[in-house]
Amino acid sequence: MNILILGGTSEASALASLLAERAIPATFSYAGRVSTPKPQPLPTRIGGFGGVDGLVAYLQQAGISHLIDATHPFAEQMSRHALAAAAQCNIPLMAFTRPAWQPQPDDDWTPVASMAEAVNQLDGPPQRIMLAIGRQHLEAFAAMPQHHYLLRLVDRLDHPLPLPHHTVTVDRGPFSMAGDLALLKDHGVERLVCKNAGGDGAVSKLTAARVLGLPVVVIERPTLPSRRECHALDDVLAWLSAPTERGV
Ligand SMILES: NC(=O)c1ccc[n+]([C@@H]2O[C@H](COP(=O)([O-])OP(=O)(O)OC[C@H]3O[C@@H](n4cnc5c(N)ncnc54)[C@H](OP(=O)(O)O)[C@@H]3O)[C@@H](O)[C@H]2O)c1
C-alpha cells in the first residue's frame, strides 16, 4: 500500500496523523498556496503536479496504490484532475470530505451558486461586510466598491487589492465562537459572505452571525462528477483495508 493524500484541509491533516500513527505508507500533497503550511507527520510534497498528465506521471513514478482526495470542497480543479488521473492509472480513489453546512431556523442565508452571484447580491448602499472567502476571488468584489470589506486571510496580502475600503486580519483556523463574535462586533460587520465549506473549523462565523442576526450570502459548492466519497476517518480505513478494487 502506498497512499497519496491530496491535502489542504483539517480532514486531510487528521487522516495524515492517523496513517502515520498506524505506520501506513503515505505521502501528503499541498498545493503550496500558503507561506507556512502546517507540518505533517508524513513525507510531504508541495506544489501542483502539472495538470492531469503531471498527476498521472507522479502516481506512476511514485507507485501510488490508493489516492485520497481530501482537498477543500471548492478545490474543484484538483478534484476533477484526481478523478481523471486515478481513472487513467486504474488506481482506486476516495474523496474524504465534510458535509455541507445546513441553515438553522434562526439563520438568514441567501444561497448563491457562484462568486459572481455573491457579488451581485451586494448591490446596494454601503455596508460593512466580512468576506470569508479566502484570497483567490477578492478582486471580483471590486464591482461593489461602496462597501467596507473585512478580510480574514492565512497570509498577509502581497499586492494591493482593488477594494477601496478594506481591513485585513491574518489568522488561521480552527476559529472559535467567542473569537468570531468579538471579531464581527469589533468591526461592526453587518453582513457576511462565505463559501459553504462545511466542517467544524470555520463554522463559528455562521454561529456568530446567527447570534447577531446578520444576513449571510452562502456560496454553494461546485458540483463534481459522481465519485466514491466518505466523511469519516473510519470509513477511509475500512476502504483501505478492503480487498483492492481497481478503478475509480
Ligand atoms: N478553494 C478553497 O476555498 C480552499 C480553501 C481552503 C483550502 N484550500 C486548499 O488549497 C489548495 C488549493 O485550492 P484551490 O481551490 O486553488 O485548488 P484548485 O483550483 O482545485 O486547483 C488548482 C491547481 O492547484 C494544484 N493543487 C490543488 N490542490 C493541490 C494539492 N493538494 N496538491 C498539489 N497540487 C494541488 C493543482 O495544480 P496542477 O494542475 O499543476 O496539478 C490544481 O490544478 C487545495 O489543496 C485545497 O484543499 C482551498
Side-chain angles (χ1 to χ4, degrees):
M1 189 175 287
N2 187 13
I3 299 160
L4 177 65
I5 303 174
L6 301 172
T9 58
S10 50
E11 289 73 19
S13 298
L15 177 62
S17 298
L18 189 71
L19 297 186
E21 266 169 42
R22 300 189 179 208
I24 299 175
T27 299
F28 195 96
S29 177
Y30 275 123
R33 293 281 188 278
V34 301
S35 59
T36 51
K38 180 180 156 73
Q40 297 295 337
L42 292 175
T44 300
R45 62 164 304 287
I46 300 181
F49 296 95
V52 176
D53 291 348
L55 181 55
V56 165
Y58 178 90
L59 295 173
Q60 290 172 340
Q61 278 159 21
I64 299 298
S65 64
H66 294 73
L67 180 57
I68 301 179
D69 178 2
T71 57
H72 190 272
F74 282 78
E76 181 180 2
Q77 182 167 300
M78 188 68 253
S79 291
R80 287 183 181 275
H81 288 184
L83 272 166
Q88 277 190 45
C89 297
N90 201 24
I91 289 172
L93 175 139
M94 173 65 85
F96 178 39
T97 60
R98 52 218 192 179
W101 293 318
Q102 301 298 330
Q104 304 300 305
D106 290 338
D107 281 328
D108 177 5
W109 287 14
T110 302
V112 295
S114 66
M115 201 59 69
E117 275 188 46
V119 173
N120 289 338
Q121 285 293 325
L122 304 189
D123 197 7
Q127 280 190 311
R128 297 184 70 84
I129 297 176
M130 180 174 180
L131 282 186
I133 57 166
R135 67 169 52 213
Q136 279 188 61
H137 301 283
L138 295 173
E139 275 79 4
F141 290 84
M144 297 292 165
Q146 71 275 34
H147 301 299
H148 183 283
Y149 294 106
L150 171 64
L151 316 173
R152 176 159 64 190
L153 304 173
V154 175
D155 291 315
R156 288 222 158 269
L157 287 164
D158 49 13
H159 61 280
L161 272 183
L163 304 177
H165 320 287
H166 68 270
T167 304
V168 176
T169 167
V170 176
D171 204 354
R172 179 185 290 223
F175 302 105
S176 71
M177 165 63 181
D180 278 359
L181 203 50
L183 183 77
L184 295 178
K185 280 183 181 168
D186 290 350
H187 289 269
V189 171
E190 298 166 277
R191 202 174 195 188
L192 205 70
V193 178
C194 71
K195 297 173 177 175
N196 194 334
D200 298 331
V203 74
S204 52
K205 59 180 177 277
L206 290 170
T207 320
R210 184 180 312 135
V211 168
L212 296 173
L214 302 183
V216 186
V217 177
V218 180
I219 303 158
E220 295 301 349
R221 298 167 172 210
T223 307
L224 286 160
S226 154
R227 55 190 182 156
R228 185 187 289 112
E229 188 167 7
C230 70
H231 301 315
L233 284 170
D234 282 350
D235 293 336
V236 178
L237 290 179
W239 172 70
L240 289 172
S241 59
T244 308
E245 183 191 330
R246 308 307 292 182
V248 183

